[in-house]
Amino acid sequence: MNIILLGPPGAGKGTQARILVDERDMVQLSTGDMLRAARTSGTAMGKKVADVMDRGELVTDEIVIGLIREQLEDTSHAGGFIFDGFPRTLAQADALGALLADMGHKLDCVIEMQVDDDALVARITARSTCGNCGEVYNDATKPWPADGKCSNCGGTDQTRRADDNEESLKTRLLAYYKQTSPLIGYYYAKGDLKSVDGLGSMEAVAAAIKGALG
Ligand code: ADP
Ligand code: ZN
């Protein structure tokens, strides 16, 4: 099964993708994670995208489509792919359809995660992650453990993303509404869209997604 998790920044796509990976042996392909990894390892591409990402704007279609193409070619299909943070533009959506078709695969389902804008701002400004394993924490609902150690891996490197601030979040939300939200209509028209309420607890949202996937 190949699925897309679609929704604004802070909708919980990464959190739910991790749950699906654990439960269904699926492979998570997050362009945001790939771009951050390129920055950390200091590649030419990583340097090129750094400022754009920190401002909260989208990097070019060419770069992210290239990243996804590489991953699709290199990764065994396992339980299927979860596309997280990709596609974000109509051009990316068309490219993904073509890439999957070339490989003899298809897209099974697009899950739209609906969360209202006030909740997004609150979530993102409270967010941190484990620098070692990527576990996601929230200052209000899932605080970093008091003993200073990640509950998943024991790592001590609590990190906050450079673009998780109000200014950049405003730009990310605008980019979402202008460039990404048309994909909701695009996939609805194709008959692939399922919408879930992304506002509930992590477990409630996971159950809703399970229901949508059948
Ligand atoms: P979020 O969904 O929380 O905004 P991501 O981790 O998915 O964050 O992405 C972080 C940043 O990486 C984006 O703001 C953008 O600059 C860049 N990015 C990630 N995926 C894409 C994509 N598919 N197309 C263009 N830019 C992307
Ligand atoms: Zn960890």
Side-chain angles (χ1 to χ4, degrees), residues 118-133:
D118 291 341
L120 297 175
V121 177
R123 279 186 184 184
I124 287 196
T125 47
R127 167 160 83 177
S128 66
T129 55
C130 172
N132 181 45
C133 76

Side-chain angles (χ1 to χ4, degrees), residues 4-45:
I4 294 172
L5 295 179
L6 184 63
K13 302 181 295 285
T15 302
Q16 294 301 324
R18 290 171 69 85
I19 295 175
L20 290 165
V21 167
D22 287 345
E23 290 183 352
R24 299 188 180 226
D25 194 30
M26 296 176 82
V27 176
Q28 175 187 10
L29 296 182
S30 159
T31 42
D33 287 349
M34 294 174 204
L35 292 167
R36 279 185 288 278
R39 292 180 62 170
T40 307
S41 57
T43 66
M45 185 271 278

Side-chain angles (χ1 to χ4, degrees), residues 183-197:
L183 300 189
I184 297 169
Y186 174 97
Y187 286 118
Y188 174 80
K190 284 181 178 278
D192 295 332
L193 191 75
K194 298 254 171 69
S195 299
V196 303
D197 179 0

Side-chain angles (χ1 to χ4, degrees), residues 3-6 83 86-98 100 107-112 180-194:
I3 69 171
I4 294 172
L5 295 179
L6 184 63
F83 298 95
F86 180 93
R88 257 178 160 92
T89 63
L90 291 165
Q92 292 176 24
D94 281 336
L96 177 62
L100 287 172
L107 191 63
D108 295 284
C109 187
V110 178
I111 306 264
E112 184 214 350
T180 308
S181 66
L183 300 189
I184 297 169
Y186 174 97
Y187 286 118
Y188 174 80
K190 284 181 178 278
D192 295 332
L193 191 75
K194 298 254 171 69

